[in-house]
Amino acid sequence: MARHGRQTSAHPVRAIVTVLTASLAVALVSGASLAAYAAWDVTSSITTVTLLSDEAAAEPGAAAPPEISAIDGGVNLLLVGSDSRTGQGDAYGDDEGAELNDVTMLMHISQDHTNATVVSFPRDLVVDIPECPEGGGYTAPINESLSQGGLACTVLTVESLSGLSIPFAAEIQFNGVIEMSNAVGGVPVCVAELIDDPYTGVYLEPGTSNLSGADALGFLRTRHGVGDGSDLGRISSQQVFLSSLVRTIKSDSTLTDFGKLYGLAKAAASDMTLSQRLASPDTMVSIALSLKDIDLSKVTFVAYPSYSADWVPEGKVAPDTDAADILFAAIQADQSVAVAAPGGIASELDPNAPVTSDPAATTAPVDPAVPVDPDAPVDPDAPVTTEPAPGSVNADGSTVLPSNVKGQTAADYTCSVGNN
């Protein structure tokens, strides 16, 4: 059960679904004429913005757009959720002209297309905002960067913070999540403890609910109703939704349903602004094709590490650059990442999650009737079970992240925890 009041809090995440779903709608359409119409119809709805990297790419001698196949090499794509009420109707409060990026997520796809990492930047993270077309050049919460020069300024801010070059970016508005969640038929979301948030009107009993439309929007927007009531808690709760959404999108029923795919493409295109190089249908399809075969266990959502500090205003957080350096070094090296344990402030593992057996991880049962010989020789080649150090690479090639880098993979079934 979910009920809703006047929606006035900050806007939700549309992370990996923005490109994955919109692109697949064109990529997987069968029939040349139908695909051509779908591409035209989706493209006609897109608004574009020019990044500095777009201008460089337009110089003579720039590389030609990729063919309709998986994009060549890796991808860095920034997804920004604006809290602007402009053009979004009256359900979210008055349009006061303000525009903050209350959701900022960076998606990295490795060059060999074997893993993807999505980093959420807390809106209250105090960072250096560089000189931008309409301001900047000062230290402030990252969610002010959008007002200092639009999407291009937020891209510059995250590039400075991460050390990565970001050629693709998208800004998404409120209503897109409603249409996209409807297009996939809803997203199953597990709730471990009651979520009751009078600010967004969200009320969810413990258990699994299939959320779509305004219910999905309310769940993603709620901050007071989950964890400790902070934006950091909301990020981990949003990851519960996003991981389930990725599983839904990658399921056979979605990838083979043209109605759902086309609906997702239209929903994304009608409520987003894309950078010039992302707005090409060819590019969107190429990025989608590089994502669709990545194993769920290699799609990882993490929150940028932060901590409370005396030098930041009350209610804000400072960047933990030491932990972040390990995270972005792994991304630079195209390595997948591993969190210490799935979950965060407002999420925990689902005790009723499907069990998948791993033959390589099974061991022979121990017979308690057989005594253990303390003088038995020790096998020098036997594996040593020690806690891996942050920055080390584990057996599957993933970089081990510090314990304060919270998150989960799309293969982890988790539940949101209410703020009681």
Side-chain angles (χ1 to χ4, degrees):
M1 296 286 295
R3 63 175 183 262
H4 303 276
R6 187 171 179 82
Q7 300 168 331
T8 57
S9 63
H11 128 23
V13 138
R14 276 75 149 191
I16 207 171
V17 66
T18 303
V19 173
L20 178 62
T21 57
S23 306
L24 285 177
V26 178
L28 299 179
V29 171
S30 59
S33 61
L34 190 57
Y37 173 77
W40 170 83
D41 196 23
V42 171
T43 305
S44 66
S45 304
I46 294 175
T47 302
T48 62
V49 65
T50 300
L51 307 182
L52 294 180
S53 58
D54 291 329
E55 296 175 353
E59 294 295 325
E67 298 293 330
I68 305 298
S69 59
I71 196 168
D72 185 18
V75 173
N76 290 326
L77 190 154
L78 191 71
L79 300 160
V80 171
S82 167
D83 72 347
S84 172
R85 270 68 171 168
T86 303
Q88 300 296 295
D90 59 2
Y92 313 109
D94 296 332
D95 180 7
E96 299 177 352
E99 187 173 26
L100 301 174
N101 47 301
D102 278 341
V103 172
T104 305
M105 304 184 76
L106 174 65
M107 179 177 69
H108 171 77
I109 305 171
S110 65
Q111 292 200 30
D112 60 4
H113 305 163
T114 61
N115 66 81
T117 302
V118 180
V119 183
S120 292
F121 297 85
R123 67 173 187 172
D124 297 322
L125 184 72
V126 177
V127 301
D128 292 330
I129 298 178
E131 293 286 349
C132 291
E134 298 177 20
Y138 62 94
T139 301
I142 195 172
N143 72 335
E144 292 186 17
S145 61
L146 195 63
S147 65
Q148 299 303 309
L151 183 58
C153 187
T154 304
V155 169
L156 288 175
T157 303
V158 176
E159 285 183 333
S160 176
L161 190 61
S162 65
L164 301 172
S165 175
I166 304 173
F168 306 111
E171 178 184 341
I172 306 97
Q173 305 299 326
F174 278 104
N175 291 330
V177 69
I178 290 179
E179 299 305 325
M180 286 188 284
S181 63
N182 286 338
V184 297
V187 177
V189 172
C190 173
V191 173
E193 297 177 6
L194 175 68
I195 297 177
D196 186 2
D197 179 13
Y199 292 91
T200 55
V202 175
Y203 183 91
L204 289 170
E205 299 279 1
T208 298
S209 300
N210 194 63
L211 301 183
S212 62
D215 292 340
L217 177 61
F219 176 82
L220 287 168
R221 296 178 68 205
T222 181
R223 172 170 60 88
H224 300 280
V226 295
D228 59 357
S230 70
D231 184 56
L232 296 175
R234 177 168 57 181
I235 286 175
S236 64
S237 181
Q238 289 168 342
Q239 290 172 348
V240 173
F241 184 97
L242 289 171
S243 61
S244 181
L245 179 58
V246 171
R247 292 193 296 268
T248 300
I249 292 170
K250 287 175 71 68
S251 69
D252 289 340
S253 61
T254 299
L255 295 180
T256 57
D257 189 324
F258 171 72
K260 288 183 179 180
L261 292 170
Y262 184 63
L264 285 167
K266 285 291 291 181
S270 62
D271 283 286
M272 62 194 295
T273 299
L274 303 177
S275 61
Q276 292 285 349
R277 281 194 279 173
L278 183 60
S280 163
D282 292 358
T283 303
M284 289 197 293
V285 170
S286 296
I287 292 175
L289 290 174
S290 69
L291 279 167
K292 68 183 184 68
D293 292 327
I294 297 178
D295 188 85
L296 290 172
S297 66
K298 294 296 184 178
V299 178
T300 309
F301 299 93
V302 297
Y304 185 97
S306 61
Y307 66 100
S308 299
D310 294 337
W311 61 270
V312 299
E314 184 178 357
K316 309 301 179 183
V317 291
D320 183 343
T321 54
D322 290 338
D325 285 347
I326 294 175
L327 168 63
F328 288 113
I331 290 176
Q332 287 274 19
D334 270 339
Q335 292 177 333
S336 57
V337 295
V339 297
I345 295 174
S347 62
E348 61 184 36
L349 284 173
D350 182 356
N352 300 313
V355 177
T356 56
S357 60
D358 182 2
T362 58
T363 58
V366 177
D367 186 349
V370 178
V372 177
D373 182 4
D375 298 322
V378 177
D379 182 0
D381 297 322
V384 179
T385 56
T386 57
E387 191 72 21
S392 63
V393 178
N394 61 22
D396 72 350
S398 298
T399 295
V400 178
L401 297 177
S403 59
N404 67 326
V405 182
K406 303 297 184 182
Q408 66 172 89
T409 72
D412 294 320
Y413 286 73
T414 51
C415 301
S416 287
V417 178
N419 178 15
N420 294 323

